[in-house]
Amino acid sequence: MAKVELALQVLTGAEATAHAMRQIQPDVVPVYPITPQTPIIQTFSRFVADGKADTVIVQVESEHSAMSAAVGSALAGARTMTATASQGLALMVEVIYIAAGLRAPIVIAVGNRALSAPINIHGDHSDGMLARDSGAVQIYAQDAQEAYDLMVMAPRIAEHPDVMLPVMVGQDGFQVTHSAEGVALLPDPDVRDFVGPYEIPNPLLGGGASSHGTFAMPDSYFELRHQLVQATEAAEAVYAEVAQDYRRRFGRDLPQIDAYRMEDAERAILLIGSAAGTAKEVVDDLRAEGERVGLVALRLYRPFPHAALRAALAGARRVAVLDRAVSPGAYPPLYSDALGALQGSATTLQSYVYGLGGRDLSQRAVRRAFAELALPAADRIGYLGLGGEDGDGEP
Amino acid sequence: MAMASLKTIALREEEHQGLSGGHSLCAGCGIPPIVRTVLGSIPGPKVAISATGCLEVATTRYPFTAWGVPWIHVAFENAAAVASGAEAAFRALSRRGKLSEEPVTFVVFAGDGGTYDIGLQALSGALERGHRLLYVCYNNEAYMNTGIQRSGATPYAANTTTSPVGSLGKGKAERRKDMTAIVVAHHIPYAAQAATSHWQDLSRKVERAAQASGPSFLNVLATCPPGWGHEAKDSVRLARIAVETHYWPLFEVVEGHYRITHRPLQQRPLEEWLNLQKRFSHLHGERGADLVVRLQEELDDSWAQLVQRDASDADWFRALEEAEA
Ligand SMILES: Cc1ncc(C[n+]2csc(CCOP(=O)(O)OP(=O)(O)O)c2C)c(N)n1
Ligand code: SF4
Ligand SMILES: [Mg+2]
């Protein structure tokens, strides 16, 4: 395996994402600004203005139009990307479903942020969960480096002939989008070579006369939607294939599931995104104290990696599932998904919600979740950090 | 500018039919002649973008399609945004040498609901950004596809399923909005109103619109037998009456300058327009006299304004014609 040695640059997740876009040079980028996505599109606009990226940016009048223009662009044979967050993603959702149904391979960078009301610009995963059932692939970065790496991988997944779907690349608002850290960018030619030319057939400008977005009655709709289900499912193997090639070429390993110190772990935490950093520190501390604990962080959330998750958690008896989103009146999304994946296994799950609207997940809170896993199972949702960062969610 | 004759349009259709038969639009529907005249009047490759509505639903029932040109529909409110993206893709790919040099015309077909109401924002954005696309509103003055609900284009007093005439209700209580004027306020190079009764006028406007250096807009009155409550056989006649009563004046706006393109020899009485349509049956005879007076006043005001604009822009058009000749 060739490990590429590269100098680190201090970049935020948003800037690193913009660099990936500069290197990929998509044909068309329709965008509309919203915090915390703005530094992505501002940085990228500057690259275009300075002649460092040859992309047609369409400054649309809303996110609904951004996604709509992206669909028009993708079906006219152009490699297309956009970026959004929060209310903007909410506005896009109608069209994300349609983009998936039309099999438009659009890459969407998301600075994950809370939803109104009350309005809040900070990180959580509520926005991504709105698009959970759209058919779009969803991957989540833990830090700025991953935000960059996954953005480079995303077009290959989106454009794979078995997939041909929108791919959302999530990074936690502020905690990743605005946090500067050392990021190693790959050389421009390596990225271009990895991503490759855009080879999707061009339905609108390719010389044929096909119709797209037609009207389907009960005699065909079910079958057509089922094709979408199969395409989304196919993205799991494609993700693995692309991640493997990325590792082979650049020495960076980004499997769909990040299993940390799980070898003999009896208790584990399952979560998505930047909180993995805090959780890993706690795991290290508890391991030093002799406890058999570990962490599983998902990079690939849609399609949900059922079998891989089962394998990663095979040895763990108790797992705390930490959701950064709620489903008021029901168990939160990641917990429900994990429960489905683990049915019939000996592992039992405990549901927690943390970090809504940008509240940090403290080490104390993670420790508490691990400690509670040693107690008898409770049939309730725990709220980590409710009532203050170290709050225990008890009224 | 040489105008496409009926023969040219027919020949173009024979060579390449933009919209074929076999669709399920109603007999007497004003939409098919609009689409065929528009596509037949533009030479070269075209891409059609539709909003949700009667046209889209009736022409693309899977696995069939009536479209002979590349066609895309995404949703109800976003046809102008979809077209913006396709046009941007065309520019990006041309710039990178990935397409042949031949120009492509992007034509949007959207109903009045998809234009005046839910699609207004996307249209406004596309016009302001200056994409090269031709936006055709087929205006049947209501949401027909969902069962004749009132829209921002529905005229004052019209009976629709959501502005019903009843013991209190008198049909739509509000005036229709002046969409063409809203479009003109975006300073686009070309906008016009047309009707199926005057197909040569429509065809000439399409040619001008397709050659414009930026966005262009056509607002075309489209008859609808079930929605308006008229006989299918009266479709063309009704459109002509709309023009000749001054209900639907034919004019164009070139670089902000107004020109009436067809001046009826004599203004026909408004009753001729109202009496052929059941949506106005509560106005027929003495019962609706007050409402008819109000409608007539609106038409007369708009027409007077148009005549005035036409007169003050006459020199500008003379200069344009000299330059073109
Ligand atoms: C977001 C959204 N809202 C409502 C609808 C339902 N709908 C579909 S077509 C239509 C009316 C279309 O009216 P118009 O644009 O005038 O076209 P027409 O049916 O008259 O051809 C409506 C309300 C929809 N498809 N999408
Ligand atoms: S309902 Fe009206 S607009 Fe729709 S197809 Fe029939 S005539 Fe045409
Ligand atoms: Mg209508």
Side-chain angles (χ1 to χ4, degrees):
Chain A
M1 191 187 331
K3 171 110 181 143
V4 182
E5 292 298 338
L6 295 165
L8 293 182
Q9 297 184 42
V10 178
L11 296 172
T12 64
E15 289 163 348
T17 302
H19 274 284
M21 293 170 71
R22 170 184 62 72
Q23 295 177 315
I24 295 164
Q25 306 242 4
D27 298 299
V28 176
V29 171
V31 275
Y32 193 81
I34 182 167
T35 307
Q37 156 262 36
T38 37
I40 300 177
I41 64 164
Q42 287 167 346
T43 309
F44 185 65
S45 296
R46 177 139 293 284
F47 289 146
V48 172
D50 290 342
K52 292 179 180 151
D54 167 35
T55 293
V56 173
I57 299 181
V58 188
Q59 305 286 0
V60 286
E61 81 299 331
S62 74
E63 289 87 353
H64 195 282
S65 284
M67 199 56 208
S68 303
V71 173
S73 166
L75 270 90
R79 182 174 269 150
T80 307
M81 292 183 166
T82 185
T84 193
S86 185
Q87 305 310 121
L89 182 57
L91 207 49
M92 277 188 184
V93 163
E94 185 198 20
V95 191
I96 294 178
Y97 272 71
I98 300 171
L102 291 176
R103 308 292 293 276
I106 299 158
V107 173
I108 309 167
V110 181
N112 290 104
R113 165 184 152 183
L115 292 173
S116 300
I119 191 165
N120 170 297
I121 59 168
H122 294 277
D124 73 33
H125 298 154
S126 309
D127 53 1
M129 295 305 147
L130 276 179
R132 185 185 64 167
D133 301 331
S134 64
V137 174
Q138 290 198 17
I139 47 187
Y140 287 84
Q142 293 176 15
D143 53 30
Q145 180 68 58
E146 287 197 7
Y148 170 79
D149 293 326
L150 295 174
M151 198 67 183
V152 173
M153 286 164 53
R156 286 263 305 260
I157 302 163
E159 295 163 22
H160 191 285
D162 295 346
V163 179
M164 299 268 288
L165 287 173
V167 172
M168 297 164 56
V169 183
Q171 53 182 303
D172 289 353
F174 290 94
Q175 278 128 337
V176 179
T177 56
H178 287 62
S179 300
E181 55 175 280
V183 177
L185 302 181
L186 298 168
D188 294 358
D190 288 13
V191 170
R192 268 165 224 160
D193 192 51
F194 178 80
V195 173
Y198 189 72
E199 276 166 348
I200 304 294
N202 186 337
L204 296 180
L205 297 175
S210 45
S211 295
H212 301 268
T214 61
F215 171 67
M217 291 285 283
D219 62 355
S220 58
Y221 179 87
F222 202 167
E223 284 71 22
L224 294 170
R225 285 309 273 186
H226 187 248
Q227 287 180 6
L228 169 61
V229 172
Q230 290 173 314
T232 308
E233 285 174 357
E236 191 180 351
V238 171
Y239 179 97
E241 184 185 311
V242 173
Q244 195 188 12
D245 190 31
Y246 200 75
R247 191 186 50 183
R248 187 181 59 75
R249 293 198 202 202
F250 310 124
R252 288 195 203 147
D253 197 16
L254 293 107
Q256 49 180 284
I257 289 184
D258 178 14
Y260 185 74
R261 304 192 77 171
M262 286 299 295
E263 312 80 58
D264 59 348
E266 290 175 341
R267 285 171 290 144
I269 278 179
L270 170 65
L271 52 69
I272 292 172
S274 64
T278 307
K280 283 177 186 176
E281 286 167 20
V282 175
V283 166
D284 288 345
D285 291 347
L286 292 175
R287 283 272 177 181
E289 292 162 25
E291 301 202 33
R292 286 160 64 180
V293 295
L295 168 78
V296 173
L298 294 190
R299 292 198 182 87
L300 183 65
Y301 176 63
R302 278 294 179 275
F304 197 78
H306 295 100
L309 183 65
R310 240 188 339 263
L313 294 175
R317 283 187 305 107
R318 301 286 308 281
V319 177
V321 185
L322 271 56
D323 270 273
R324 207 175 181 185
V326 284
S327 176
Y331 279 103
L334 178 59
Y335 176 85
S336 304
D337 290 322
L339 202 61
L342 294 171
Q343 30 177 330
S345 84
T347 309
T348 56
L349 303 180
Q350 189 73 46
S351 176
Y352 291 92
V353 169
Y354 75 98
L356 295 191
R359 183 157 302 170
D360 279 326
L361 178 66
S362 71
Q363 296 204 2
R364 284 250 298 275
V366 178
R367 272 182 175 266
R368 208 187 89 223
F370 273 123
E372 286 179 358
L373 288 181
L375 307 173
D379 184 18
R380 62 173 187 104
I381 302 168
Y383 292 89
L384 298 171
L386 181 66
E389 234 165 66
D390 291 329
D392 57 8
E394 302 301 338
Chain B
M1 185 169 33
M3 194 177 69
S5 64
L6 188 54
K7 197 169 148 199
T8 316
I9 296 179
L11 279 174
R12 253 183 220 147
E13 278 220 327
E14 207 165 284
E15 222 170 85
H16 191 97
Q17 205 165 33
L19 182 75
S20 63
H23 55 69
S24 55
L25 291 157
C26 306
C29 177
I31 302 171
I34 295 173
V35 176
R36 293 177 61 175
T37 307
V38 169
L39 294 177
S41 302
I42 305 168
K46 293 160 278 274
V47 172
I49 300 99
S50 287
T52 311
C54 275
L55 173 63
E56 164 263 330
V57 168
T59 56
T60 67
R61 179 173 167 169
Y62 184 86
F64 303 104
T65 181
W67 294 85
V69 293
W71 178 89
I72 181 174
H73 156 254
V74 176
F76 185 19
E77 66 277 46
N78 62 356
V82 175
S84 301
E87 189 269 348
F90 175 77
R91 272 186 285 136
L93 298 179
S94 302
R95 199 163 82 181
R96 292 185 177 183
K98 292 183 186 165
L99 292 174
S100 75
E101 304 275 292
E102 197 174 12
V104 173
T105 310
F106 295 88
V107 192
V108 177
F109 293 103
D112 48 293
T115 304
Y116 283 58
D117 295 341
I118 200 167
L120 180 58
Q121 175 183 316
L123 172 58
S124 175
L127 298 179
E128 185 264 339
R129 291 190 299 273
H131 297 277
R132 259 200 95 169
L133 49 90
L134 164 55
Y135 191 106
V136 180
C137 173
Y138 65 87
N139 183 358
N140 51 28
E141 303 193 315
Y143 303 155
M144 295 311 179
N145 186 51
T146 38
I148 324 170
Q149 294 87 15
R150 57 89 85 191
S151 80
T154 304
Y156 175 65
N159 189 0
T160 72
T161 56
T162 51
S163 62
V165 173
S167 57
L168 299 175
K170 295 179 171 152
K172 192 182 164 191
E174 303 81 16
R175 262 181 95 157
R176 55 185 167 155
K177 62 172 108 158
D178 188 349
M179 188 63 211
T180 311
I182 293 169
V183 166
V184 169
H186 288 76
H187 312 295
I188 62 168
Y190 191 83
Q193 280 193 189
T196 43
S197 47
H198 296 71
W199 69 266
Q200 282 176 307
D201 177 79
L202 170 60
S203 176
R204 198 186 58 77
K205 286 171 176 167
V206 173
E207 288 183 339
R208 265 203 182 276
Q211 282 168 14
S213 56
S216 52
F217 176 84
L218 295 178
N219 196 347
V220 192
L221 189 69
T223 50
C224 172
W228 294 4
H230 69 83
E231 303 272 337
K233 69 171 170 52
D234 285 334
S235 273
V236 177
R237 180 174 160 220
L238 200 51
R240 182 171 297 281
I241 292 172
V243 173
E244 295 182 352
T245 52
H246 298 172
Y247 177 84
W248 192 257
L250 302 183
F251 64 94
E252 63 188 355
V253 188
V254 183
E255 311 284 357
H257 301 277
Y258 282 72
R259 169 157 75 179
I260 297 172
T261 57
H262 175 78
R263 218 179 268 262
L265 288 177
Q266 203 182 347
Q267 182 182 4
R268 292 166 86 148
L270 185 57
E271 283 75 10
E272 287 190 38
W273 164 248
L274 301 174
N275 289 346
L276 282 172
Q277 302 175 63
K278 290 206 184 73
R279 63 174 171 160
F280 296 122
S281 58
H282 55 297
L283 306 184
H284 299 168
E286 280 308 302
R287 282 174 305 160
D290 289 356
L291 299 182
V292 175
V293 168
R294 186 178 148 182
L295 263 172
Q296 185 71 59
E297 274 170 13
E298 281 173 18
L299 298 192
D300 291 347
D301 279 356
S302 304
W303 178 255
Q305 199 180 26
L306 190 59
V307 168
Q308 203 178 5
R309 282 180 165 149
D310 174 276
S312 60
D313 284 332
D315 285 345
W316 188 88
F317 277 102
R318 243 187 313 273
L320 178 74
E321 266 158 23
E322 274 163 24
E324 280 178 352

